[in-house]
Coordinates of all heavy atoms in Angstrom, one line a residue:
M917 N 0.8 -1.2 0.0 CA 0.0 0.0 0.0 C 0.9 1.2 0.0 O 1.9 1.3 0.7 CB -0.9 -0.1 1.2 CG -2.0 1.0 1.2 SD -3.2 0.7 -0.1 CE -4.2 2.1 0.1
A918 N 0.5 2.3 -0.7 CA 1.2 3.5 -0.8 C 1.2 4.3 0.4 O 0.2 4.3 1.1 CB 0.7 4.3 -2.0
T919 N 2.2 5.0 0.6 CA 2.2 6.0 1.8 C 1.4 7.2 1.4 O 1.1 7.4 0.3 CB 3.7 6.4 2.1 OG1 4.2 7.2 1.0 CG2 4.6 5.2 2.4
L920 N 1.1 8.0 2.5 CA 0.4 9.3 2.2 C 1.1 10.1 1.2 O 0.5 10.7 0.3 CB 0.2 10.0 3.5 CG -0.5 11.4 3.4 CD1 -1.9 11.2 2.9 CD2 -0.5 12.1 4.8
H921 N 2.4 10.3 1.3 CA 3.2 11.1 0.4 C 3.0 10.5 -1.1 O 2.8 11.3 -2.0 CB 4.6 11.1 0.8 CG 5.5 11.9 -0.1 ND1 5.5 13.2 -0.2 CD2 6.4 11.4 -1.1 CE1 6.4 13.6 -1.1 NE2 6.9 12.5 -1.7
E922 N 3.1 9.2 -1.2 CA 3.0 8.6 -2.6 C 1.6 8.8 -3.1 O 1.4 9.1 -4.3 CB 3.3 7.1 -2.5 CG 4.7 6.8 -2.3 CD 5.0 5.3 -1.9 OE1 4.1 4.7 -1.3 OE2 6.1 4.8 -2.3
R923 N 0.5 8.6 -2.2 CA -0.8 8.8 -2.7 C -1.1 10.2 -3.2 O -1.7 10.4 -4.2 CB -1.8 8.5 -1.6 CG -1.8 7.0 -1.3 CD -3.0 6.6 -0.4 NE -3.1 7.4 0.9 CZ -2.6 7.1 2.0 NH1 -1.8 6.0 2.1 NH2 -2.8 7.8 3.1
K924 N -0.5 11.2 -2.4 CA -0.7 12.6 -2.9 C 0.1 12.8 -4.2 O -0.5 13.5 -5.1 CB -0.2 13.5 -1.8 CG -1.1 13.7 -0.6 CD -0.5 14.7 0.4 CE -1.5 15.0 1.5 NZ -1.0 16.0 2.4
A925 N 1.2 12.2 -4.4 CA 2.0 12.4 -5.6 C 1.2 11.7 -6.8 O 1.1 12.3 -7.8 CB 3.3 11.7 -5.5
Y926 N 0.6 10.6 -6.6 CA -0.1 9.9 -7.6 C -1.3 10.7 -8.1 O -1.6 10.9 -9.2 CB -0.6 8.5 -7.1 CG 0.4 7.4 -6.9 CD1 0.3 6.4 -6.0 CD2 1.6 7.4 -7.7 CE1 1.2 5.5 -5.9 CE2 2.5 6.5 -7.6 CZ 2.3 5.5 -6.6 OH 3.3 4.5 -6.4
R927 N -2.0 11.3 -7.1 CA -3.2 12.2 -7.4 C -2.7 13.4 -8.3 O -3.4 13.7 -9.3 CB -3.8 12.7 -6.1 CG -4.4 11.6 -5.3 CD -4.8 12.2 -3.9 NE -5.1 11.2 -3.0 CZ -5.1 11.4 -1.7 NH1 -4.8 12.6 -1.2 NH2 -5.3 10.4 -0.9
A928 N -1.6 14.0 -7.9 CA -1.2 15.2 -8.7 C -0.7 14.7 -10.1 O -1.0 15.4 -11.1 CB 0.0 15.8 -7.9
Q929 N -0.1 13.6 -10.1 CA 0.4 13.1 -11.4 C -0.7 12.7 -12.3 O -0.7 13.0 -13.5 CB 1.3 11.9 -11.2 CG 2.6 12.2 -10.6 CD 3.4 10.9 -10.2 OE1 2.9 9.8 -10.4 NE2 4.6 11.1 -9.6
V930 N -1.7 12.1 -11.8 CA -2.9 11.7 -12.6 C -3.6 13.0 -13.2 O -3.9 13.1 -14.4 CB -3.9 10.8 -11.8 CG1 -5.3 10.7 -12.5 CG2 -3.3 9.5 -11.5
L931 N -3.8 13.9 -12.3 CA -4.4 15.2 -12.8 C -3.6 15.9 -13.8 O -4.1 16.3 -14.8 CB -4.7 16.1 -11.5 CG -5.8 17.1 -11.6 CD1 -7.1 16.5 -11.9 CD2 -5.9 17.8 -10.3
R932 N -2.3 16.0 -13.6 CA -1.4 16.6 -14.6 C -1.4 15.9 -15.9 O -1.5 16.5 -17.0 CB 0.0 16.7 -14.0 CG 1.1 17.2 -14.9 CD 1.0 18.6 -15.4 NE 0.9 19.6 -14.3 CZ 0.4 20.8 -14.4 NH1 0.0 21.2 -15.6 NH2 0.3 21.6 -13.4
A933 N -1.3 14.6 -15.8 CA -1.3 13.8 -17.1 C -2.6 13.9 -17.9 O -2.6 14.0 -19.1 CB -1.1 12.3 -16.7
L934 N -3.7 13.9 -17.2 CA -5.0 14.1 -17.8 C -5.1 15.5 -18.5 O -5.5 15.7 -19.6 CB -6.1 13.9 -16.8 CG -7.6 14.0 -17.3 CD1 -7.8 13.1 -18.4 CD2 -8.5 13.8 -16.1
Y935 N -4.7 16.5 -17.8 CA -4.7 17.9 -18.2 C -3.9 18.0 -19.5 O -4.3 18.6 -20.5 CB -4.3 18.8 -17.2 CG -4.3 20.3 -17.6 CD1 -5.4 21.0 -17.8 CD2 -3.1 21.0 -17.7 CE1 -5.4 22.3 -18.2 CE2 -3.0 22.3 -18.1 CZ -4.2 23.0 -18.3 OH -4.2 24.3 -18.7
E936 N -2.7 17.5 -19.4 CA -1.7 17.6 -20.6 C -2.2 16.7 -21.8 O -2.1 17.2 -22.9 CB -0.3 17.2 -20.1 CG 0.3 18.2 -19.2 CD 1.6 17.8 -18.7 OE1 2.1 16.7 -18.9 OE2 2.2 18.6 -17.9
A937 N -2.7 15.6 -21.5 CA -3.1 14.7 -22.6 C -4.3 15.3 -23.3 O -4.5 15.1 -24.6 CB -3.4 13.3 -22.1
T938 N -5.2 15.9 -22.6 CA -6.4 16.4 -23.3 C -6.3 17.9 -23.6 O -7.2 18.5 -24.2 CB -7.6 16.3 -22.3 OG1 -7.4 17.1 -21.1 CG2 -7.9 14.8 -21.9
E939 N -5.1 18.5 -23.3 CA -4.8 19.9 -23.7 C -5.9 20.8 -23.1 O -6.3 21.7 -23.7 CB -4.7 20.1 -25.2 CG -3.5 19.3 -25.8 CD -3.4 19.5 -27.3 OE1 -4.3 20.0 -27.9 OE2 -2.3 19.1 -27.7
G940 N -6.4 20.4 -21.8 CA -7.3 21.2 -21.2 C -8.8 21.1 -21.8 O -9.6 22.0 -21.5
N941 N -9.0 20.2 -22.6 CA -10.4 20.1 -23.2 C -11.2 19.1 -22.4 O -10.9 17.9 -22.4 CB -10.2 19.6 -24.7 CG -11.5 19.6 -25.4 OD1 -12.6 19.5 -24.9 ND2 -11.4 19.6 -26.7
R942 N -12.3 19.6 -21.8 CA -13.2 18.8 -21.0 C -13.9 17.8 -21.8 O -14.5 16.9 -21.2 CB -14.1 19.7 -20.2 CG -13.5 20.5 -19.1 CD -14.5 21.2 -18.2 NE -15.6 20.4 -17.9 CZ -16.9 20.8 -18.0 NH1 -17.2 22.0 -18.5 NH2 -17.9 20.0 -17.7
L943 N -14.0 17.9 -23.1 CA -14.7 17.0 -23.9 C -13.9 15.7 -24.3 O -14.4 14.8 -24.8 CB -15.2 17.7 -25.2 CG -16.1 18.9 -25.1 CD1 -16.5 19.5 -26.4 CD2 -17.4 18.4 -24.3
L944 N -12.6 15.8 -24.0 CA -11.7 14.7 -24.3 C -11.4 14.0 -22.9 O -11.4 14.5 -21.9 CB -10.4 15.2 -24.9 CG -10.6 15.9 -26.2 CD1 -9.2 16.4 -26.7 CD2 -11.2 15.0 -27.3
G945 N -11.1 12.7 -23.1 CA -10.7 12.0 -21.9 C -9.6 11.0 -22.3 O -9.3 10.9 -23.5
I946 N -9.0 10.3 -21.4 CA -8.0 9.3 -21.7 C -8.3 8.0 -20.9 O -9.0 8.2 -19.8 CB -6.6 9.7 -21.5 CG1 -6.3 10.2 -20.1 CG2 -6.2 10.8 -22.4 CD1 -4.9 10.5 -19.8
T947 N -7.9 6.9 -21.3 CA -8.1 5.7 -20.6 C -7.3 5.6 -19.4 O -6.2 6.1 -19.3 CB -7.9 4.5 -21.5 OG1 -6.5 4.3 -21.8 CG2 -8.7 4.6 -22.8
G948 N -7.8 4.8 -18.4 CA -7.0 4.6 -17.2 C -5.7 3.8 -17.6 O -4.7 4.0 -17.0
A949 N -5.8 3.0 -18.6 CA -4.6 2.2 -19.0 C -3.5 3.1 -19.5 O -2.3 3.0 -19.2 CB -5.0 1.2 -20.1
E950 N -3.9 4.2 -20.3 CA -3.0 5.2 -20.8 C -2.3 5.9 -19.6 O -1.1 6.1 -19.6 CB -3.6 6.1 -21.7 CG -4.1 5.6 -23.0 CD -4.9 6.5 -23.9 OE1 -5.9 7.1 -23.3 OE2 -4.6 6.7 -25.0
I951 N -3.1 6.3 -18.7 CA -2.5 7.0 -17.5 C -1.6 6.1 -16.7 O -0.5 6.5 -16.4 CB -3.6 7.5 -16.6 CG1 -4.5 8.6 -17.3 CG2 -3.0 8.1 -15.3 CD1 -5.7 9.0 -16.5
G952 N -2.0 4.9 -16.4 CA -1.2 4.0 -15.7 C 0.1 3.6 -16.3 O 1.1 3.6 -15.7
S953 N 0.1 3.4 -17.7 CA 1.3 3.1 -18.3 C 2.3 4.3 -18.5 O 3.5 4.2 -18.3 CB 1.1 2.4 -19.7 OG 0.6 3.4 -20.6
A954 N 1.7 5.5 -18.7 CA 2.5 6.7 -18.8 C 3.2 7.0 -17.5 O 4.3 7.5 -17.4 CB 1.6 7.9 -19.3
L955 N 2.5 6.8 -16.4 CA 3.0 7.2 -15.1 C 3.6 6.1 -14.3 O 4.2 6.3 -13.2 CB 1.9 7.8 -14.2 CG 1.2 9.1 -14.8 CD1 0.0 9.5 -13.9 CD2 2.1 10.2 -15.0
Q956 N 3.4 4.8 -14.8 CA 3.9 3.7 -14.0 C 3.3 3.7 -12.6 O 4.0 3.3 -11.6 CB 5.4 3.7 -14.0 CG 6.1 3.6 -15.4 CD 5.7 2.3 -16.1 OE1 5.9 1.2 -15.6 NE2 5.2 2.5 -17.3
V957 N 2.0 3.9 -12.5 CA 1.3 3.8 -11.3 C 0.7 2.4 -11.1 O 0.0 2.0 -12.1 CB 0.2 5.0 -11.2 CG1 -0.6 4.8 -9.9 CG2 0.9 6.3 -11.3
P958 N 0.9 1.7 -10.1 CA 0.2 0.4 -9.9 C -1.3 0.6 -10.0 O -1.9 1.6 -9.5 CB 0.7 0.0 -8.5 CG 1.9 0.8 -8.2 CD 1.8 2.1 -8.9
G959 N -1.9 -0.5 -10.5 CA -3.4 -0.4 -10.7 C -4.2 -0.1 -9.5 O -5.1 0.7 -9.6
Q960 N -3.9 -0.6 -8.4 CA -4.6 -0.3 -7.2 C -4.5 1.1 -6.7 O -5.4 1.8 -6.3 CB -4.2 -1.2 -6.0 CG -4.9 -1.0 -4.7 CD -4.4 -2.0 -3.6 OE1 -3.5 -2.8 -3.9 NE2 -4.9 -1.9 -2.4
D961 N -3.3 1.7 -6.9 CA -3.0 3.1 -6.5 C -3.6 4.0 -7.5 O -4.1 5.1 -7.2 CB -1.5 3.3 -6.4 CG -0.9 2.6 -5.3 OD1 -1.6 2.4 -4.2 OD2 0.2 2.1 -5.4
L962 N -3.7 3.6 -8.8 CA -4.4 4.4 -9.8 C -5.8 4.5 -9.5 O -6.5 5.6 -9.6 CB -4.1 3.9 -11.2 CG -4.8 4.6 -12.4 CD1 -4.4 6.0 -12.5 CD2 -4.6 3.8 -13.7
A963 N -6.5 3.4 -9.2 CA -7.9 3.4 -8.9 C -8.2 4.3 -7.6 O -9.1 5.0 -7.6 CB -8.4 2.0 -8.6
A964 N -7.3 4.2 -6.6 CA -7.5 5.0 -5.4 C -7.3 6.5 -5.8 O -8.1 7.3 -5.2 CB -6.4 4.6 -4.4
A965 N -6.4 6.8 -6.6 CA -6.2 8.2 -7.0 C -7.4 8.8 -7.7 O -7.9 9.9 -7.5 CB -4.9 8.4 -7.8
C966 N -7.9 7.9 -8.6 CA -9.1 8.4 -9.4 C -10.3 8.5 -8.6 O -11.1 9.5 -8.7 CB -9.3 7.4 -10.6 SG -8.1 7.5 -11.9
T967 N -10.4 7.6 -7.6 CA -11.6 7.6 -6.7 C -11.5 8.9 -5.9 O -12.6 9.6 -5.7 CB -11.6 6.4 -5.8 OG1 -11.7 5.2 -6.6 CG2 -12.7 6.5 -4.8
Y968 N -10.3 9.3 -5.4 CA -10.2 10.4 -4.6 C -10.5 11.7 -5.4 O -11.2 12.6 -5.0 CB -8.7 10.6 -4.0 CG -8.5 11.7 -3.2 CD1 -8.7 11.7 -1.8 CD2 -8.1 13.0 -3.7 CE1 -8.5 12.8 -1.0 CE2 -7.9 14.1 -2.9 CZ -8.0 14.0 -1.6 OH -7.9 15.1 -0.8
L969 N -9.9 11.8 -6.6 CA -10.1 13.0 -7.5 C -11.5 13.1 -7.9 O -12.0 14.3 -8.0 CB -9.1 12.9 -8.7 CG -7.6 13.0 -8.3 CD1 -6.8 12.6 -9.5 CD2 -7.3 14.4 -7.8
A970 N -12.2 12.0 -8.1 CA -13.6 12.1 -8.5 C -14.4 12.5 -7.3 O -15.3 13.4 -7.5 CB -14.1 10.7 -9.0
G971 N -14.1 12.1 -6.1 CA -14.7 12.6 -4.9 C -14.6 14.0 -4.7 O -15.5 14.7 -4.1
E972 N -13.4 14.6 -5.1 CA -13.2 16.0 -4.9 C -13.9 16.8 -6.0 O -13.7 18.1 -6.0 CB -11.7 16.3 -4.9 CG -11.0 15.8 -3.7 CD -11.4 16.5 -2.4 OE1 -11.3 17.7 -2.4 OE2 -11.8 15.8 -1.5
G973 N -14.4 16.1 -7.0 CA -15.1 16.8 -8.1 C -14.2 17.3 -9.2 O -14.5 18.2 -10.0
L974 N -12.9 16.8 -9.2 CA -12.0 17.3 -10.2 C -11.9 16.4 -11.5 O -11.5 17.0 -12.6 CB -10.6 17.2 -9.6 CG -10.4 18.1 -8.3 CD1 -9.1 17.9 -7.7 CD2 -10.7 19.6 -8.6
I975 N -12.4 15.2 -11.4 CA -12.5 14.3 -12.6 C -13.7 13.5 -12.6 O -14.4 13.4 -11.5 CB -11.2 13.4 -12.7 CG1 -11.2 12.3 -11.6 CG2 -9.9 14.1 -12.8 CD1 -10.2 11.3 -11.7
T976 N -14.1 13.0 -13.7 CA -15.2 11.9 -13.8 C -14.5 10.7 -14.3 O -13.5 10.7 -15.1 CB -16.3 12.3 -14.7 OG1 -15.8 12.6 -16.0 CG2 -17.0 13.6 -14.2
V977 N -15.0 9.5 -13.8 CA -14.4 8.3 -14.2 C -15.5 7.3 -14.6 O -16.5 7.2 -13.9 CB -13.7 7.7 -13.0 CG1 -13.0 6.4 -13.4 CG2 -12.6 8.6 -12.4
D978 N -15.3 6.7 -15.7 CA -16.2 5.5 -16.1 C -15.3 4.3 -15.7 O -14.2 4.2 -16.1 CB -16.4 5.5 -17.6 CG -17.3 6.7 -18.0 OD1 -18.1 7.1 -17.3 OD2 -17.0 7.2 -19.2
W979 N -16.0 3.4 -14.9 CA -15.3 2.3 -14.4 C -15.5 1.0 -15.1 O -16.6 0.8 -15.6 CB -15.6 2.1 -12.9 CG -15.3 3.2 -12.0 CD1 -16.1 4.2 -11.6 CD2 -14.0 3.4 -11.4 NE1 -15.4 5.1 -10.8 CE2 -14.1 4.6 -10.7 CE3 -12.8 2.7 -11.4 CZ2 -13.0 5.1 -9.9 CZ3 -11.7 3.2 -10.7 CH2 -11.9 4.4 -10.0
E980 N -14.5 0.2 -15.2 CA -14.6 -1.2 -15.8 C -14.8 -2.1 -14.6 O -14.5 -1.7 -13.5 CB -13.3 -1.6 -16.5 CG -13.0 -0.8 -17.8 CD -11.7 -1.3 -18.5 OE1 -11.0 -2.1 -17.9 OE2 -11.5 -0.8 -19.6
P981 N -15.2 -3.3 -14.8 CA -15.3 -4.3 -13.8 C -13.9 -4.5 -13.1 O -12.9 -4.4 -13.8 CB -15.7 -5.6 -14.5 CG -16.5 -5.1 -15.7 CD -15.7 -3.9 -16.1
G982 N -13.9 -4.7 -11.8 CA -12.6 -4.9 -11.1 C -12.1 -3.6 -10.6 O -10.9 -3.5 -10.3
N983 N -12.9 -2.5 -10.6 CA -12.5 -1.2 -10.1 C -11.3 -0.7 -10.8 O -10.4 -0.1 -10.3 CB -12.1 -1.3 -8.6 CG -12.2 0.0 -7.8 OD1 -13.0 0.9 -8.3 ND2 -11.5 0.2 -6.8
T984 N -11.4 -0.8 -12.2 CA -10.4 -0.2 -13.1 C -10.9 0.9 -13.8 O -12.0 0.8 -14.4 CB -9.9 -1.3 -14.1 OG1 -9.5 -2.5 -13.4 CG2 -8.9 -0.8 -15.0
P985 N -10.2 2.1 -13.8 CA -10.8 3.2 -14.5 C -10.7 3.0 -16.1 O -9.6 2.7 -16.6 CB -9.8 4.4 -14.1 CG -8.7 3.8 -13.4 CD -9.0 2.4 -13.1
A986 N -11.8 3.1 -16.7 CA -11.9 2.9 -18.2 C -11.6 4.1 -18.9 O -10.7 4.2 -19.8 CB -13.2 2.3 -18.6
M987 N -12.3 5.2 -18.6 CA -12.2 6.5 -19.2 C -12.2 7.6 -18.1 O -13.1 7.6 -17.2 CB -13.3 6.7 -20.2 CG -13.2 8.1 -21.0 SD -11.7 8.2 -22.0 CE -11.9 6.9 -23.2
V988 N -11.3 8.5 -18.2 CA -11.1 9.6 -17.2 C -11.2 10.9 -17.9 O -10.5 11.1 -18.9 CB -9.8 9.4 -16.5 CG1 -9.7 10.5 -15.4 CG2 -9.7 8.0 -15.9
T989 N -12.0 11.8 -17.4 CA -12.1 13.2 -18.0 C -12.0 14.2 -16.9 O -12.4 13.9 -15.7 CB -13.4 13.4 -18.7 OG1 -14.5 13.1 -17.9 CG2 -13.5 12.5 -20.0
L990 N -11.6 15.4 -17.2 CA -11.6 16.5 -16.3 C -13.0 17.1 -16.1 O -13.7 17.2 -17.1 CB -10.7 17.7 -16.8 CG -9.2 17.5 -16.7 CD1 -8.5 18.6 -17.5 CD2 -8.8 17.6 -15.2
T991 N -13.3 17.6 -15.0 CA -14.5 18.3 -14.8 C -14.2 19.8 -14.9 O -13.0 20.2 -15.0 CB -15.1 18.1 -13.3 OG1 -14.1 18.7 -12.4 CG2 -15.4 16.7 -13.0
H992 N -15.2 20.7 -14.9 CA -14.9 22.1 -15.0 C -14.0 22.5 -13.8 O -13.1 23.3 -14.0 CB -16.3 22.9 -14.9 CG -16.1 24.3 -15.1 ND1 -15.7 25.0 -16.2 CD2 -16.3 25.4 -14.1 CE1 -15.6 26.3 -16.0 NE2 -16.0 26.5 -14.7
Q993 N -14.4 22.0 -12.6 CA -13.6 22.4 -11.5 C -12.1 21.9 -11.6 O -11.2 22.6 -11.2 CB -14.2 21.8 -10.2 CG -13.5 22.2 -8.9 CD -14.3 21.6 -7.7 OE1 -15.4 21.2 -7.8 NE2 -13.6 21.6 -6.6
G994 N -11.9 20.7 -12.1 CA -10.6 20.2 -12.4 C -9.8 21.1 -13.3 O -8.6 21.4 -13.2
L995 N -10.5 21.5 -14.4 CA -9.8 22.3 -15.4 C -9.4 23.6 -14.8 O -8.3 24.1 -15.0 CB -10.8 22.5 -16.6 CG -10.3 23.4 -17.7 CD1 -9.0 22.8 -18.3 CD2 -11.4 23.5 -18.8
R996 N -10.3 24.3 -14.0 CA -10.0 25.5 -13.4 C -8.8 25.4 -12.5 O -7.9 26.3 -12.5 CB -11.2 26.1 -12.6 CG -12.3 26.5 -13.5 CD -13.5 27.1 -12.8 NE -13.0 28.2 -11.9 CZ -13.7 28.6 -10.9 NH1 -14.8 28.0 -10.6 NH2 -13.2 29.6 -10.1
L997 N -8.7 24.3 -11.7 CA -7.6 24.1 -10.8 C -6.3 24.0 -11.6 O -5.3 24.6 -11.3 CB -7.8 22.9 -10.0 CG -6.6 22.4 -9.1 CD1 -6.4 23.4 -7.9 CD2 -6.8 21.0 -8.5
M998 N -6.3 23.2 -12.7 CA -5.1 23.0 -13.5 C -4.7 24.3 -14.2 O -3.5 24.6 -14.3 CB -5.3 21.9 -14.5 CG -5.5 20.5 -13.8 SD -4.3 20.1 -12.5 CE -2.7 20.1 -13.5
E999 N -5.6 25.1 -14.7 CA -5.3 26.3 -15.3 C -4.7 27.3 -14.3 O -3.8 28.1 -14.6 CB -6.5 26.9 -16.0 CG -6.9 26.2 -17.2 CD -8.2 26.7 -17.9 OE1 -9.0 27.4 -17.2 OE2 -8.4 26.4 -19.0
A1000 N -5.2 27.3 -13.1 CA -4.7 28.2 -12.0 C -3.3 27.8 -11.7 O -2.4 28.7 -11.5 CB -5.6 28.1 -10.8
E1001 N -3.0 26.5 -11.6 CA -1.6 26.1 -11.3 C -0.7 26.4 -12.5 O 0.4 26.8 -12.2 CB -1.6 24.5 -11.1 CG -2.1 24.1 -9.8 CD -1.9 22.6 -9.5 OE1 -1.2 22.0 -10.3 OE2 -2.6 22.1 -8.6
E1002 N -1.2 26.3 -13.7 CA -0.4 26.6 -14.9 C 0.0 28.1 -14.9 O 1.1 28.5 -15.1 CB -1.1 26.3 -16.1 CG -0.2 26.4 -17.4 CD -0.9 25.9 -18.7 OE1 -2.1 25.5 -18.6 OE2 -0.2 26.0 -19.7
E1003 N -1.0 29.0 -14.6 CA -0.8 30.4 -14.5 C 0.2 30.7 -13.3 O 1.1 31.6 -13.5 CB -2.0 31.1 -14.3 CG -2.9 31.2 -15.5 CD -4.2 31.9 -15.2 OE1 -4.6 32.1 -14.0 OE2 -4.9 32.3 -16.2
E1004 N 0.1 30.1 -12.2 CA 0.9 30.3 -11.1 C 2.4 29.9 -11.3 O 3.3 30.6 -10.9 CB 0.4 29.6 -9.9 CG 1.1 29.8 -8.6 CD 0.5 29.0 -7.4 OE1 -0.7 29.1 -7.2 OE2 1.2 28.3 -6.8
H1005 N 2.6 28.8 -12.0 CA 3.9 28.3 -12.2 C 4.5 28.6 -13.6 O 5.6 28.2 -13.9 CB 3.9 26.8 -12.0 CG 3.5 26.4 -10.6 ND1 4.3 26.7 -9.5 CD2 2.5 25.7 -10.2 CE1 3.7 26.2 -8.4 NE2 2.6 25.7 -8.8
G1006 N 3.7 29.3 -14.4 CA 4.2 29.7 -15.7 C 4.3 28.6 -16.6 O 4.7 28.3 -17.5

């Protein structure tokens, strides 16, 4: 099981990967498999990160059987957060 520090890092990485892959377009999404392979996040930790982010209202997730994220998209709130971070960090 991941530590708190690792879980927070996974959440940030998932959100950043989603934002970059969709170029900030809420109409686009990427598969959980794409996120997992790009970030090398273990499946259980990817599912936990997606569950957390969805609970915070930052992403939406379509789930496959076995608690695997099939398709992940940004919400309006998630997009606003990522744009604010981009503006802040240049």
Side-chain angles (χ1 to χ4, degrees):
M917 190 69 185
T919 65
L920 176 60
H921 179 72
E922 290 170 329
R923 290 192 307 268
K924 286 183 174 184
Y926 290 150
R927 294 171 197 158
Q929 291 170 0
V930 167
L931 206 52
R932 171 69 51 202
L934 180 57
Y935 179 68
E936 290 175 357
T938 62
E939 298 178 348
N941 186 336
R942 289 187 44 228
L943 299 177
L944 300 177
I946 58 175
T947 67
E950 290 173 312
I951 295 172
S953 69
L955 301 178
Q956 298 299 304
V957 175
Q960 181 179 358
D961 294 324
L962 176 62
C966 287
T967 299
Y968 181 91
L969 294 169
E972 291 295 308
L974 301 174
I975 65 172
T976 57
V977 183
D978 294 327
W979 295 96
E980 292 180 355
N983 205 25
T984 303
M987 183 61 63
V988 184
T989 55
L990 281 171
T991 63
H992 181 72
Q993 184 176 343
L995 180 59
R996 288 182 55 201
L997 174 69
M998 295 309 298
E999 287 176 344
E1001 283 187 14
E1002 187 175 5
E1003 286 178 345
E1004 184 178 308
H1005 298 293

